[in-house]
Amino acid sequence: MPAVDAVLADLPAHRRELFAARVERWLPDLLAGLTLLHPDPAAVADRLLLAAARAFAARPDELHALDLRRSLAPDWFQRPDVVGYAAYADRFAGDLAAVAAKVPYLESLGVRYLHLMPLLTPGPPPNDGGYAVADHGSVRADLGTMDDLEALTRELRGRGMSLCLDLVLNHVADTHAWALAAKAGDPDKRAYFHVFPDRTQPDAYEATLPEVFPDLAPGNFTWDDDLAGWVWTTFNSYQWDVDFANPDVLCEYAQVVLDLANRGVEVLRLDAIAFTWKRLGTNCQNQPEVHALTQALRTVARIACPALLFKAEAIVGPRDLMPYLGTGEHWGKVSDLAYHNGLMVQVWSMLASRDAVLASHALQQLAVPPPTTAWITYVRCHDDIGWAIDDGDAAAVGISGYEHRRFLSDWYSGDFWQSWAQGLVFGENEATGDRRISGTAASLAGLGSWDPQAVARVLLAHAVVMGFGGIPVLWSGDELGLQNDPRWADEPGHADDNRWVHRPRLTWGPDDRPVPDSPAIAEGIAALVRARTSLPQLHASVPATVLDPRDPAVLLVARHHPLGTVLGAYNVAPGPRHVPLDLLRELGLDPATVVDHLTGAGPRIADGAVQLAPYQAVWLR
């Protein structure tokens, strides 16, 4: 392409050769993704290659060096010493400069991956906690500037840490420049959105569309006087869904990806990715084109800035999840990371029911991901917990999915008899009976009710996610045992959204470390991180094999590795349970020499079994 050659003309020969080699390697994948999306894939590919060339030419030398290091160690994010941390910048420390000053704390915790929640400039409140983005090219004014963001990535990179930011793919704020131009009558920008002159098409779509926020934002379309039409708004009336069938939209988002990567961002969380393609007669989620457009964006990044990873924010059913990491023709060509929402849900389900049978069956149904990818595992995140219990999985173990979901909502809202949990109901759907739950990990586990086993439950939950493989991510405050924020509703705009109850601000002590609510939890989680980093069997390329329970209250997860098998055993009951020694022998573990990696000592063996204390986790090697 002459235009690409002109952009690269002033670069050294070795850089030009590198770019050409990447294009040769990745162009087939780019065209394959675009072919499903647009009638003239070659023309769109030319536009994207030109954008990639410009970004490559402008990429700082230190980021080119990072690209080289990542290409020589493509498994860098799969290694067991990679532990993540997620936080709102302002609630963690203040602004971006303050976050940079607190990086030593994260380093001491063993963090190698930092996810800062939405910080690109949002629309005015309400803005869905920042997920209604009004400007992809600037940072919230109270947090700093894009230069501050770049300085933070440089500080993190110097300490071997990577920054993850959110990129909302499905929608923008109705105050975004694209939306404002559409309102002003620009036909090109109007075509960035799904706009209909009357209710004929919206009603046809609504026949099969679910509602994301039925209480707060019923329906999926909003009338706009300036547009003189109905605009698609899956989430909230002020969040306009973009139309990825328009190649201009894909090219705009590719430019955003490239710009953020050149600022030093190393991971992009693709928010609301499941909703990005619309098809009449479906629920407009998980359509094949979603994976094609992800492949196209990922390929552009591989050409210009290959150190960048994609993380799919796909909170979908188990059977729809694996394609986000790559299946079939998209194997290994889409997102590098995806949330293991099912694991998080099953952890809390096990703790409430004191039973691992449902969790074992459900986790066994998930296919093995491509070995070049990794799960993001977590106990809590910024969001509410929706009880994604599959009816088929529940029926397979002899229970009702509907009744179990109702039980979990009752338990974690504290409405069930003898519940120790102190959660809040968020987003009740009267039609389906679904009730989602807000609350910190410590409060959901009973710390606020002064239950003597609350600390053990919190540590067990974190042991499960740290021992499963992938990148375990700590939600800010959970590593300190912070309880529900009693003042969550006091801040402007928060009173109608109780998810802020589990987004507390950290209090920093004179030693420049945050003050814990539970020192025992803080010490226990730090010990788990240390243990994890020295266990090669937790490399994410090694699949987690969930075994059938021998004791119904013990989750068993084996990790088979050339250096030997490790068995994670997790007692989810408040009383002692066991693991038969016969199972250890089946896995090649010698009961006479087996060691619990979490303690460095042999486990307690009696009556032909490893004996587990209430809520005890062991990693047997």
Side-chain angles (χ1 to χ4, degrees):
M1 282 180 62
V4 168
D5 293 340
V7 167
L8 303 178
D10 293 335
L11 296 183
H14 73 278
R15 286 268 168 88
R16 296 196 304 272
E17 292 168 4
L18 176 59
F19 187 85
R22 288 181 186 167
V23 171
E24 181 180 6
R25 166 64 182 87
W26 295 110
L27 183 57
D29 287 352
L30 178 59
L31 290 170
L34 293 173
T35 297
L36 189 61
L37 301 174
H38 303 298
D40 190 354
V44 182
D46 286 347
R47 295 174 62 184
L48 292 172
L49 288 176
L50 182 57
R54 289 171 175 155
F56 178 85
R59 193 158 170 81
D61 286 344
E62 62 181 303
L63 294 181
H64 279 298
L66 179 68
D67 291 332
L68 175 60
R69 293 198 301 274
R70 296 295 194 231
S71 67
L72 294 174
D75 69 334
W76 67 271
F77 63 95
Q78 297 179 296
R79 297 175 181 179
D81 64 344
V82 177
V83 173
Y85 190 91
Y88 285 92
D90 54 335
R91 307 184 85 75
F92 174 71
D95 57 16
L96 293 179
V99 172
K102 303 299 185 186
V103 167
Y105 163 69
L106 297 173
E107 187 177 33
S108 73
L109 192 58
V111 170
R112 297 280 305 281
Y113 160 107
L114 173 62
H115 175 198
L116 292 181
M117 303 305 291
L119 50 74
L120 299 180
T121 301
N127 53 41
D128 193 24
Y131 287 101
V133 177
D135 182 4
H136 291 103
S138 66
V139 170
R140 271 173 41 192
D142 61 310
L143 296 180
T145 66
M146 291 299 282
D147 288 343
D148 292 325
L149 176 64
E150 194 167 348
L152 173 60
T153 65
R154 191 176 300 111
E155 173 69 18
L156 291 168
R157 194 162 55 250
R159 296 176 181 267
M161 300 165 68
S162 303
L163 181 66
C164 171
L165 290 189
D166 293 271
L167 176 59
V168 184
L169 285 183
N170 180 67
H171 49 262
V172 297
D174 61 1
T175 54
H176 193 284
W178 305 340
L180 294 178
K183 289 185 179 195
D186 183 334
D188 292 335
K189 292 302 186 287
R190 184 186 180 95
Y192 279 30
F193 305 98
H194 304 269
V195 184
F196 306 93
D198 56 43
R199 287 293 308 188
T200 304
Q201 283 293 96
D203 286 344
Y205 279 107
E206 289 280 21
T208 55
L209 285 177
E211 295 176 315
V212 175
F213 298 132
D215 289 347
L216 303 175
N220 289 274
F221 299 86
T222 298
W223 175 263
D224 186 88
D225 287 335
D226 293 321
L227 291 176
W230 294 90
V231 61
W232 202 313
T233 55
T234 296
F235 288 83
N236 289 288
S237 61
Y238 50 82
Q239 291 167 300
W240 288 12
D241 290 28
V242 296
D243 185 359
F244 272 100
N246 181 344
D248 291 346
V249 171
L250 180 63
C251 292
E252 291 271 21
Y253 270 94
Q255 190 61 58
V256 173
V257 167
L258 296 169
D259 289 345
L260 290 173
N262 274 4
R263 291 285 188 174
V265 176
E266 295 185 39
V267 185
L268 287 176
R269 175 185 179 271
L270 305 180
D271 184 73
I273 186 174
F275 300 85
T276 48
W277 198 269
K278 321 301 186 185
R279 175 168 282 110
L280 188 64
T282 73
N283 66 357
C284 296
Q285 297 180 39
N286 311 309
Q287 299 301 303
E289 291 85 353
V290 169
H291 311 299
L293 72 88
T294 308
Q295 178 172 315
L297 288 173
R298 179 186 186 270
T299 306
V300 172
R302 287 298 183 273
I303 293 170
C305 45
L308 182 72
L309 299 183
F310 280 1
K311 176 172 68 172
E313 189 268 335
I315 309 304
V316 299
R319 289 162 184 80
D320 293 319
L321 179 57
M322 198 56 66
Y324 289 89
L325 288 177
T327 57
E329 62 183 334
H330 301 299
W331 178 266
K333 299 177 182 179
V334 283
S335 293
D336 308 277
L337 304 165
Y339 285 100
H340 202 324
N341 181 64
L343 180 63
M344 182 270 294
V345 169
Q346 294 298 341
V347 165
W348 292 109
S349 173
M350 288 188 292
L351 290 174
S353 63
R354 308 177 182 184
D355 188 279
V357 174
L358 171 61
S360 300
H361 175 82
L363 294 171
Q364 287 170 348
Q365 306 315 301
L366 205 58
V368 175
T372 56
T373 65
W375 292 118
I376 295 290
T377 62
Y378 55 105
V379 173
R380 285 297 286 118
C381 68
H382 75 288
D383 222 341
D384 54 282
I385 300 177
W387 302 117
I389 303 294
D390 182 80
D391 286 340
D393 290 337
V397 299
I399 64 175
S400 162
Y402 173 82
E403 292 297 338
H404 190 63
R405 290 189 293 270
R406 186 171 72 170
F407 159 71
L408 292 174
S409 294
D410 286 345
W411 185 271
Y412 284 107
S413 62
D415 290 339
F416 200 90
W417 181 66
Q418 290 191 330
S419 168
W420 23 254
Q422 293 188 320
L424 303 177
V425 172
F426 174 84
E428 181 172 1
N429 187 327
E430 294 182 2
T432 64
D434 287 341
R435 285 170 293 154
R436 294 176 285 182
I437 297 294
S438 300
T440 68
S443 290
L444 294 180
L447 190 67
S449 61
W450 307 109
D451 185 284
Q453 294 178 307
V455 169
R457 279 191 286 270
V458 172
L459 295 180
L460 176 70
H462 283 88
V464 172
V465 302
M466 288 198 184
F468 202 83
I471 301 178
V473 175
L474 298 165
W475 176 241
S476 182
D478 280 353
E479 86 280 15
L480 306 166
L482 297 193
Q483 300 173 58
N484 288 344
D485 182 357
R487 296 174 295 279
W488 67 268
D490 293 347
E491 295 186 41
H494 289 186
D496 293 329
D497 185 349
N498 66 25
R499 290 174 296 182
W500 290 103
V501 77
H502 56 254
R503 303 166 181 172
R505 295 183 184 274
L506 301 195
T507 300
W508 292 85
D511 58 352
D512 219 24
R513 299 180 65 83
V515 178
D517 275 5
S518 170
I521 288 176
E523 293 165 7
I525 288 179
L528 284 170
V529 172
R530 289 193 298 272
R532 175 186 162 79
T533 61
S534 59
L535 194 60
Q537 287 88 343
L538 292 179
H539 192 286
S541 65
V542 178
T545 303
V546 179
L547 307 177
D548 291 333
R550 277 30 174 204
D551 180 314
V554 179
L555 177 71
L556 300 169
V557 182
R559 300 186 62 80
H560 303 293
H561 188 276
L563 295 179
T565 294
V566 166
L567 175 64
Y570 308 95
N571 176 12
V572 300
R577 311 302 287 209
H578 69 279
V579 179
L581 294 183
D582 286 348
L583 174 61
L584 272 63
R585 297 187 183 98
E586 289 175 18
L587 296 173
L589 297 170
D590 184 353
T593 59
V594 73
V595 171
D596 175 14
H597 186 76
L598 291 175
T599 64
R604 189 168 69 88
I605 296 177
D607 301 323
V610 173
Q611 301 296 320
L612 299 178
Y615 298 119
Q616 184 181 3
V618 293
W619 294 348
L620 301 176
R621 57 173 174 80

